[in-house]
Amino acid sequence: QVQLVESGGGLVQTGDSLRLSCGLSERTYDFYTMAWFRQAPGKEREFVAAFNGFYDQTRYADSVKGRCTISGDDTKTTLYLQVDSLKTEDTAVYLCAASLVRGATTPVESTAYDLWGRGTQVTVSS
């Protein structure tokens, strides 16, 4: 069974940096786009960033633009998210997702994603 597994979360202070990783257990399918979403307690899941490895495209939410860098490896099985200048409002469970939608797209809607990881907790303290 194909799975996504996130890692790299933790407890940090404001201004710190983190690098999250997401690994795809096997490349049975061509997931054109992989993305990060996050969900804070009591809030809806929100889009953070997406990476289309086939067309080398990226997209970022306004809330993280300039502070985040999303990237993937050449095997298209590992996704990274570098987050700098962390803020307390970045506290959330960060989830990795993969989409089978073909083409040069970087969907922001969670419904466009077919596979999800369980998430990794990021807590930013002031």
Side-chain angles (χ1 to χ4, degrees):
Q1 185 176 358
V2 179
Q3 293 181 324
L4 288 170
V5 180
E6 304 94 334
S7 62
L11 174 62
V12 296
Q13 294 186 324
T14 54
D16 285 350
S17 298
L18 271 181
R19 190 189 195 208
L20 306 181
S21 299
C22 171
L24 183 64
S25 60
E26 55 187 81
R27 197 179 164 184
T28 305
Y29 307 102
D30 283 334
F31 292 104
Y32 272 61
T33 304
M34 294 179 73
W36 289 96
F37 287 75
R38 66 186 182 186
Q39 188 161 18
K43 294 189 177 180
E44 292 189 355
R45 186 171 298 182
E46 67 169 344
F47 171 80
V48 177
F51 174 70
N52 184 317
F54 285 78
Y55 290 86
D56 197 23
Q57 293 180 330
T58 59
R59 180 180 291 196
Y60 297 93
D62 289 342
S63 58
V64 301
K65 199 172 292 183
R67 300 190 296 118
C68 276
T69 303
I70 191 169
S71 60
D73 70 351
D74 291 340
T75 66
K76 297 180 177 59
T77 59
T78 306
L79 183 72
Y80 304 100
L81 184 71
Q82 175 75 30
V83 188
D84 300 318
S85 303
L86 280 156
K87 306 176 182 180
T88 55
E89 51 263 45
D90 293 320
T91 295
V93 174
Y94 283 70
L95 302 115
C96 180
S99 174
L100 291 168
V101 174
R102 292 180 172 269
T105 63
T106 48
V108 300
E109 306 85 2
S110 61
T111 53
Y113 292 85
D114 304 281
L115 183 67
W116 291 84
R118 291 189 170 186
T120 184
Q121 176 71 46
V122 173
T123 303
V124 185
S125 66
S126 58

